[in-house]
Amino acid sequence: MTTTSSTALRTLGNSDLHLTPIGFGAWAIGGGNWDYGWGPQDDNESIEAIHRALDLGVNWIDTAAIYGLGHSEEVVSRALNTTSHKPYVFTKCSMRWDADRSIYRSLKTGSLAEEIEASLRRLGVETIDLYQIHWPMPEAEIEEGWETLARFQQQGKLRWIGVSNFNVAQMKRAQQIAPITSLQPPYSMLRRAIEEEILPFTQANNIGVINYSPMVSGLLTGKMSAERVAAMPADDWRHKAVEFNEPRLSRNLRLVELLREIGSSHSVPTSVEPGVVAVAWTLRNPAVTAAIVGGRSAAQVEGLAPALEFRLSDEGYARINTFLAENPV
């Protein structure tokens, strides 16, 4: 795996996976026309975005079967078939869909067996580097689901297994069956709930953390405005998200201007975008192994690539936290 010479790799939990500080998030490239879509997306632009991320040194990709109802995994496969890079590929299970595109959830053994085989086929691989339970639902099936993943890991189809969106009690239930390599939680300066109990638990138990939405689904990238939010496609799930609506939206856009100011005072080798500062804020937490950073075009990836190396100063970190404390919603 090619990485920039100055990018320090981070070991994910109890695994032998050595990750760059950011990975390519493939949710948005699943496209629209499903319940959690981001609106229309050009597949060729998605492939170019993945190629650019890999060329710049990113060494892992995170996707899920549910993203675009299988489409994201297919696009990732097309990208990997047209590059010499060999990144780690992570995907997720438990959210499924019917012929009418309605979504349901299952952690039953038979269902997960079907999901694993389908993901292997769509991704075009024989082994998945990290396979994660996407959501702990139905909660009563957590034990059955985790036992199933552990069995497929023993068979060699899954190298490492992790969880996503689990709380401490749910992780403890899984630990009684097999070790957890990683947790994938939402974490950003606007979503800090995991700091109190979950992150201390992962640290104490050598569970790696790859956080998603460090830029709050694009809100903190510096590319958003009230007008752009209003003009998002009707099938963009963010229309319903609390941070994209008032009264939070105005506060959040002012926060972005602070991130822009902080980013303009640093150089890697030039000033960095607000989104890079937002990612760096999450990487300041010692419990976080690496952050998922999405990109829908090569240009977006280039703007966020400095997050591979940019680190937030104590002063910048303090300024952000002061703003958040003084501007609650």
Side-chain angles (χ1 to χ4, degrees):
M1 275 157 244
T2 303
T3 59
T4 55
S5 58
S6 58
T7 300
L9 300 182
R10 301 166 172 216
T11 302
L12 183 67
N14 59 19
S15 78
D16 62 358
L17 303 176
H18 305 295
L19 310 186
T20 46
I22 63 170
F24 183 90
W27 180 4
I29 68 170
N33 192 29
W34 67 291
D35 285 353
Y36 301 100
W38 295 59
Q41 172 69 14
D42 183 277
D43 289 348
N44 291 325
E45 286 194 359
S46 300
I47 291 169
E48 290 173 0
I50 293 172
H51 286 172
R52 191 64 183 130
L54 300 180
D55 288 344
L56 290 168
V58 171
N59 79 347
W60 56 284
I61 297 171
D62 181 84
T63 183
I66 196 64
Y67 296 161
L69 310 187
H71 190 61
S72 175
E73 290 184 332
E74 293 169 347
V75 173
V76 168
S77 178
R78 288 175 57 191
L80 296 182
N81 286 335
T82 49
T83 179
S84 61
H85 296 290
K86 303 295 181 183
Y88 301 124
V89 178
F90 307 160
T91 192
K92 299 184 278 295
C93 63
S94 80
M95 296 181 70
R96 306 199 65 185
W97 59 95
D98 289 313
D100 64 358
R101 305 178 75 82
S102 61
I103 295 171
Y104 68 97
R105 302 168 191 266
S106 177
L107 290 171
K108 290 289 188 181
T109 296
S111 179
L112 292 179
E114 291 176 357
E115 283 209 82
I116 290 168
E117 294 300 332
S119 286
L120 288 168
R121 182 179 65 253
R122 284 190 293 261
L123 290 167
V125 298
E126 294 182 356
T127 304
I128 294 168
D129 293 307
L130 177 68
Y131 197 68
Q132 305 152 98
I133 292 180
H134 205 157
W135 289 90
M137 300 177 193
E139 187 169 10
E141 297 174 5
I142 286 176
E143 283 79 5
E144 181 175 353
W146 195 243
E147 287 174 356
T148 303
L149 264 58
R151 192 176 314 124
F152 275 96
Q153 182 184 28
Q154 292 169 356
Q155 294 173 10
K157 294 189 176 183
L158 313 174
R159 288 186 62 201
W160 300 98
I161 54 177
V163 299
S164 178
N165 299 300
F166 274 48
N167 61 32
V168 168
Q170 292 161 344
M171 284 189 280
K172 287 180 177 178
R173 288 166 58 185
Q175 279 183 316
Q176 294 178 8
I177 297 166
I180 300 171
T181 285
S182 64
L183 169 70
Q184 185 176 139
Y187 183 53
S188 70
M189 59 185 67
L190 298 182
R191 299 182 72 180
R192 302 178 63 174
I194 65 171
E195 291 177 342
E196 183 175 350
E197 183 181 12
I198 291 175
L199 291 184
F201 179 82
T202 60
Q203 273 192 296
N205 288 269
N206 194 27
I207 297 171
V209 173
I210 47 176
N211 62 300
Y212 69 84
S213 294
M215 297 176 290
V216 194
S217 304
L219 182 57
L220 302 181
T221 60
K223 308 298 183 183
M224 283 291 172
S225 64
E227 292 76 19
R228 182 173 176 182
V229 170
M232 288 189 298
D235 60 349
D236 191 315
W237 70 274
R238 291 173 292 180
H239 277 299
K240 299 172 285 187
V242 64
E243 301 295 351
F244 284 80
N245 286 277
E246 298 297 352
R248 293 178 182 261
L249 180 60
S250 294
R251 187 277 307 266
N252 294 339
L253 293 176
R254 287 190 289 115
L255 172 60
V256 169
E257 292 311 305
L258 172 61
L259 303 184
R260 193 186 310 279
E261 181 182 335
I262 292 171
S264 67
S265 66
H266 292 75
S267 57
V268 191
T270 58
S271 62
V272 299
E273 295 182 1
V276 173
V277 180
V279 173
W281 184 93
T282 69
L283 293 174
R284 285 270 308 204
N285 193 304
V288 174
T289 309
I292 297 170
V293 176
R296 302 180 71 171
S297 68
Q300 284 186 358
V301 168
E302 288 174 356
L304 296 169
L308 281 164
E309 300 175 30
F310 176 78
R311 298 297 172 261
L312 195 57
S313 68
D314 291 342
E315 178 187 4
Y317 188 66
R319 289 182 64 190
I320 292 168
N321 291 340
T322 297
F323 176 94
L324 294 170
E326 294 178 347
N327 293 274
V329 175

